[in-house]
């Protein structure tokens, strides 16, 4: 992509590159059209990578990234290009004091999301009203809960990461005299415990946020 021909926006209105003209026009369209009507929703789908938006929304919710306002999105400034989201800055992911919090439904709140609910939810709080979008979200979330976010798979990745640095940790603590290797092992176990629970926790968050019926639960999450 030509770096001089791309719109990049951070937060609500920080233009990192290009302009907000297209994005503002899209938000105005969404605000003034009933997204329950497929004709209007289909137009929005021509402007947004819907599957990627769902995946972004899902990842923020699964990892309980409470700093949801630190957000970036972009589009190539060409005919037919779609808005896409950048997944970054998740240092609060799987945090011990917040990992059970349901932030998945924050994006449905018309007031806003993030700190002070000050970040816009114009797109998400409206397109969630469309049955086709809701169904697609259940399909994608259900698929990733069974694959990408499968508990055994995630624990395997965690074990690989731990093993990669385990032999260096005693030297680290000996050098800097902060905490101990044993305390690090306890923290690793805490993360393992969180990862072990997270699939089921997030599954229930989505069920509650989307007000899923038992039939829908069986179909998409069974």
């Amino acid at each position: 992509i030509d770096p001089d021909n791309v719109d990049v926006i951070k937060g609500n209105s920080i233009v990192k590159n290009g302009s907000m003209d297209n994005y503002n026009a899209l938000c105005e369209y969404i605000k003034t059209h009933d997204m329950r009507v497929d004709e209007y929703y289909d137009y929005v789908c021509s402007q947004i990578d819907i599957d990627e938006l769902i995946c972004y929304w899902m990842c923020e919710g699964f990892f309980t990234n409470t700093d949801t306002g630190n957000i970036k999105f972009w589009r190539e400034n060409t005919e037919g290009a779609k808005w896409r989201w950048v997944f970054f800055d998740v240092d609060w992911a799987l945090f011990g004091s917040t990992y059970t919090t349901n932030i998945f439904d924050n994006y449905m709140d018309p007031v806003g999301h993030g700190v002070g609910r000050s970040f816009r939810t114009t797109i998400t709080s409206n397109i969630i009203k469309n049955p086709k979008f809701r169904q697609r979200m259940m399909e994608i979330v259900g698929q990733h809960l069974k694959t990408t976010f499968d508990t055994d798979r995630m624990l395997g990745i965690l074990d690989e990461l731990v093993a990669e640095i385990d032999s260096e940790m005693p030297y680290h603590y000996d050098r800097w005299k902060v905490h101990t290797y044993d305390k690090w092992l306890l923290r690793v176990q805490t993360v393992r415990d969180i990862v072990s629970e997270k699939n089921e926790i997030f599954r229930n968050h989505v069920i509650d946020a989307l007000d899923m019926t038992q039939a829908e639960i069986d179909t998409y999450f069974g």
Side-chain angles (χ1 to χ4, degrees), residues 129-142:
K129 300 172 185 176
N130 187 278
K132 290 198 298 186
F133 177 82
R134 182 175 175 276
Q135 178 180 339
R136 185 62 180 148
M137 176 169 277
M138 290 187 292
E139 290 172 352
I140 290 177
V141 172

Side-chain angles (χ1 to χ4, degrees), residues 5-219:
N5 195 40
V6 61
D7 297 331
V8 182
I9 303 169
K10 181 178 179 181
N12 281 331
S13 57
I14 300 173
V15 178
K16 306 293 288 185
N17 201 77
S19 79
M20 286 191 65
D21 293 347
N22 181 277
Y23 180 75
N24 285 336
L26 176 62
C27 288
E28 185 63 24
Y29 181 91
I30 291 173
K31 284 192 294 185
T32 56
H33 292 76
D34 187 349
M35 288 297 108
R36 291 171 295 186
V37 178
D38 283 345
E39 176 187 353
Y40 304 145
Y41 171 71
D42 289 343
Y43 171 76
V44 173
C45 291
S46 74
Q47 303 296 306
I48 290 176
D49 186 324
I50 290 293
D51 283 5
E52 184 164 308
L53 174 60
I54 292 173
C55 287
Y56 177 86
W57 187 345
M58 172 183 63
C59 288
E60 291 278 291
F62 185 92
F63 290 108
T64 322
N65 180 26
T66 53
D67 190 15
T68 58
N70 205 353
I71 184 173
K72 289 180 185 176
F73 38 100
W74 67 278
R75 72 182 286 274
E76 189 177 6
N77 195 7
T78 57
E79 186 70 26
K82 296 185 178 184
W83 285 100
R84 294 178 166 88
W85 277 255
V86 181
F87 188 64
F88 79 111
D89 189 15
V90 283
D91 50 308
W92 284 94
L94 303 178
F95 208 71
S97 61
T98 58
Y99 78 96
T100 60
T101 303
N102 185 359
I103 67 165
F104 180 79
D105 60 357
N106 286 0
Y107 293 94
M108 304 179 197
D109 189 342
V111 174
H113 72 92
V115 177
R117 301 284 182 167
S118 57
F119 292 89
R120 289 195 285 183
T121 56
T122 304
I123 295 174
T124 50
S125 65
N126 282 284
I127 62 175
I128 190 64
K129 300 172 185 176
N130 187 278
K132 290 198 298 186
F133 177 82
R134 182 175 175 276
Q135 178 180 339
R136 185 62 180 148
M137 176 169 277
M138 290 187 292
E139 290 172 352
I140 290 177
V141 172
Q143 173 190 350
H144 283 288
L145 284 176
K146 298 171 188 174
T147 54
T148 312
F149 296 139
D150 173 74
T151 300
D152 289 339
R153 178 180 184 273
M154 293 192 68
L155 288 173
I157 293 172
L158 175 61
D159 289 342
E160 290 176 4
L161 295 171
V162 171
E164 188 173 349
I165 63 173
D166 180 78
S167 62
E168 293 296 325
M169 294 310 292
Y171 302 114
H172 172 77
Y173 289 117
D174 183 60
R175 170 66 179 83
W176 298 107
K177 311 301 182 186
V178 290
H179 304 305
T180 64
Y181 173 71
D182 288 340
K183 188 166 186 177
W184 177 70
L185 291 178
L186 290 175
R187 289 179 167 180
V188 168
Q189 184 59 49
T190 296
V191 177
R192 282 189 62 85
D193 293 342
I194 291 173
V195 171
S196 297
E197 299 176 37
K198 192 60 196 188
N199 187 292
E200 182 177 0
I201 290 172
F202 181 67
R203 178 181 183 270
N204 290 331
H205 286 171
V206 176
I207 290 171
D208 291 342
L210 298 182
D211 194 22
M212 294 174 63
T213 66
Q214 188 60 52
E216 290 172 335
I217 295 170
D218 295 340
T219 298

